[in-house]
C-alpha cells in the first residue's frame, strides 16, 4: 500500500478529476485548485510510473485511453470515501469549519434559497460553500458520483437519499398586454391555441408541461425552446409566447403571472444528499435547510 498511496495519491486524484471533466485539463486543474502545468505534470508522472498510456492529445483537450478510464472508475469511490473520512476526522475536531459542495435548481435562483445561503454563512462563516446550479437530473447525477454533497432537487430523485421539504407552485406567465392578462385565474385548457416557450425535453419542467397539457386535452405548441428560465421570461415580455413556470418573486418587466385552477400544478422539492455528506459541515447544512424549509 505504501508503494502506491504514498507515491501516487495526488496523481490518482488528478486522473479522477480529469475523467470527471471529460479530458478538459483547465477545468480539472481549477477544481483541484492547482495550475494547469501542475495538473499536466501529475498525469504524465503517473503515466510514466505505471508504464501505461493514459492520455491522447486532441486539440485543446485530451482523451483518456481505455486503461485510464478503467483506472479512474475504479479509484473514484475509494478516493471519495477516503476524502470524506479525512474531512469527518478533521471536522469533528473543528466543527465550525469545512467545505460543502451544494447544488440547487435553476428555477430557485431568487428568493428562499439565496436567503438561506446568506443566513447559513452568517451563522457558520468558517464553512465554505461551493455552490452549483443545474437542472434536477444533473444535480442527482452529481450527488451519486460524489461531486456534490448536498442538493435541493426537483423532482425528488429515485437514486439518492432524500426527504421532501416543500412544493413549488406553477403559474402561467404571459405578456403584460396579452388578452388573458387581466384574469385572476386560468384553466390550462384555455391556453390550447397559445405558442409556448419551454425548456428542452430533458428538463423535468418541460416533461411536466407536456403531461399537464395532454391531460387538459391538447398538445402544447412549442414555439421557442431554451434552457435558461430568466431568458424565457424575457422572451415572454417581448411577446414571443407564454410559459408554465414556477412562481417568481421578482416580476420580469412586461410580463404577468396568473395562478392556474385547480391549484394542483405543483412540483415537489426534495433535500437530497450523497455518500460524501458525512462531515459535520454537511450535517450542519442539512439540518439548517430542513428547518429553513418548514
Amino acid at each position: 500500500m505504501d508503494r502506491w498511496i504514498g507515491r501516487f495519491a495526488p496523481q490518482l486524484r488528478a486522473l479522477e478529476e480529469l475523467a470527471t471533466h471529460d479530458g478538459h485539463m483547465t477545468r480539472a486543474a481549477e477544481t483541484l485548485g492547482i495550475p494547469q502545468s501542475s495538473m499536466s505534470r501529475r498525469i504524465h508522472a503517473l503515466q510514466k510510473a505505471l508504464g501505461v498510456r493514459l492520455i491522447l492529445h486532441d486539440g485543446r483537450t485530451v482523451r483518456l485511453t481505455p486503461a485510464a478510464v478503467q483506472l479512474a472508475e475504479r479509484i473514484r469511490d475509494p478516493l471519495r470515501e477516503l476524502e470524506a473520512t479525512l474531512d469527518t476526522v478533521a471536522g469533528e475536531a473543528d466543527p465550525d469549519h469545512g467545505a460543502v459542495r451544494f447544488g440547487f435548481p435553476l428555477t430557485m435562483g431568487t428568493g428562499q434559497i439565496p436567503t438561506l445561503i446568506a443566513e447559513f454563512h452568517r451563522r457558520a462563516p468558517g464553512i465554505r460553500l461551493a455552490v452549483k446550479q443545474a437542472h434536477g437530473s444533473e444535480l442527482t447525477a452529481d450527488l451519486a458520483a460524489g461531486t456534490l454533497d448536498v442538493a435541493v432537487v426537483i423532482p425528488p430523485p429515485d437514486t439518492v437519499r432524500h426527504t421532501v421539504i416543500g412544493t413549488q407552485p406553477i403559474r402561467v406567465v404571459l405578456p403584460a398586454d396579452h388578452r388573458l392578462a387581466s384574469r385572476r385565474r386560468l384553466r390550462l385548457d384555455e391556453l390550447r391555441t397559445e405558442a409556448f416557450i419551454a425548456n428542452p425535453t430533458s428538463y423535468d419542467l418541460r416533461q411536466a408541461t407536456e403531461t399537464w397539457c395532454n391531460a387538459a386535452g391538447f398538445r402544447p405548441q412549442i414555439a421557442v425552446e431554451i434552457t435558461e428560465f430568466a431568458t424565457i421570461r424575457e422572451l415572454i415580455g417581448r411577446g414571443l409566447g407564454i410559459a408554465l413556470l414556477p412562481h417568481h418573486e421578482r416580476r420580469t418587466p412586461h410580463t404577468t403571472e396568473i395562478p392556474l385552477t385547480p391549484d394542483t400544478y405543483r412540483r415537489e422539492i426534495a433535500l437530497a444528499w450523497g455518500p460524501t455528506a458525512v462531515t459535520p459541515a454537511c450535517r450542519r447544512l442539512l439540518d439548517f435547510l430542513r428547518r429553513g424549509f418548514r
Side-chain angles (χ1 to χ4, degrees):
M1 181 178 292
D2 290 345
R3 174 189 175 194
W4 300 111
I5 296 298
R7 291 177 60 191
F8 297 133
Q11 289 91 335
L12 291 171
R13 181 70 179 90
L15 176 65
E16 189 269 334
E17 200 62 50
L18 187 63
T20 298
H21 289 278
D22 297 322
H24 199 293
M25 279 277 188
T26 301
R27 294 175 186 166
E30 289 174 352
T31 301
L32 292 175
I34 61 175
Q36 183 174 335
S37 58
S38 298
M39 180 76 185
S40 180
R41 283 196 297 271
R42 289 185 185 184
I43 298 298
H44 284 93
L46 180 62
Q47 184 172 258
K48 181 178 180 181
L50 295 178
V52 176
R53 188 76 176 269
L54 297 177
I55 58 173
L56 300 170
H57 289 278
D58 185 11
R60 295 185 177 181
T61 63
V62 297
R63 290 188 291 111
L64 274 66
T65 65
V69 171
Q70 182 183 47
L71 178 58
E73 289 177 350
R74 291 188 175 184
I75 63 175
R76 180 170 288 115
D77 287 345
L79 285 176
R80 300 295 186 194
E81 291 173 8
L82 177 60
E83 184 177 12
T85 300
L86 292 173
D87 283 345
T88 299
V89 171
E92 294 291 355
D94 186 6
D96 294 325
H97 294 80
V100 182
R101 296 165 300 177
F102 172 59
F104 65 93
L106 296 166
T107 57
M108 301 183 77
T110 60
Q112 189 172 20
I113 287 187
T115 298
L116 289 172
I117 290 174
E119 178 61 18
F120 182 78
H121 179 69
R122 187 187 67 79
R123 297 187 185 191
I127 296 177
R128 182 175 62 85
L129 294 181
V131 179
K132 174 178 180 176
Q133 274 190 274
H135 61 85
S137 60
E138 183 175 347
L139 295 173
T140 300
D142 287 346
L143 288 169
T147 54
L148 281 179
D149 304 309
V150 177
V152 173
V153 182
I154 301 174
D158 296 327
T159 55
V160 296
R161 292 175 295 172
H162 67 274
T163 182
V164 175
I165 54 175
T167 60
Q168 184 182 63
I170 303 299
R171 306 279 178 83
V172 182
V173 183
L174 306 166
D177 58 358
H178 192 279
R179 61 185 176 83
L180 299 173
S182 62
R183 295 278 296 276
R184 297 185 62 183
R185 288 187 174 274
L186 286 168
R187 297 189 318 274
L188 197 53
D189 63 3
E190 295 180 89
L191 306 174
R192 63 174 65 247
T193 62
E194 299 294 330
F196 280 72
I197 303 174
N199 301 124
T201 55
S202 61
Y203 280 55
D204 175 74
L205 187 57
R206 167 66 176 274
Q207 296 165 19
T209 295
E210 293 188 352
T211 298
W212 291 330
C213 290
N214 288 336
F218 70 98
R219 182 177 180 179
Q221 301 302 310
I222 309 300
V224 180
E225 190 175 87
I226 192 167
T227 59
E228 295 298 324
F229 290 89
T231 307
I232 290 177
R233 292 178 181 274
E234 291 288 339
L235 294 178
I236 292 171
R238 287 162 173 76
L240 269 70
I242 71 167
L244 301 185
L245 294 174
H247 170 60
H248 198 272
E249 295 184 4
R250 299 176 185 172
R251 188 177 71 85
T252 303
H254 311 298
T255 68
T256 187
E257 276 192 11
I258 301 178
L260 286 162
T261 186
D263 187 21
T264 56
Y265 299 98
R266 295 174 171 268
R267 300 194 299 168
E268 288 189 329
I269 304 170
L271 179 61
W273 57 95
T276 59
V278 296
T279 67
C282 289
R283 293 198 297 268
R284 185 168 180 178
L285 179 62
L286 280 167
D287 290 343
F288 175 80
L289 291 173
R290 285 192 187 99
R291 294 193 303 271
F293 272 88
R294 288 176 184 169

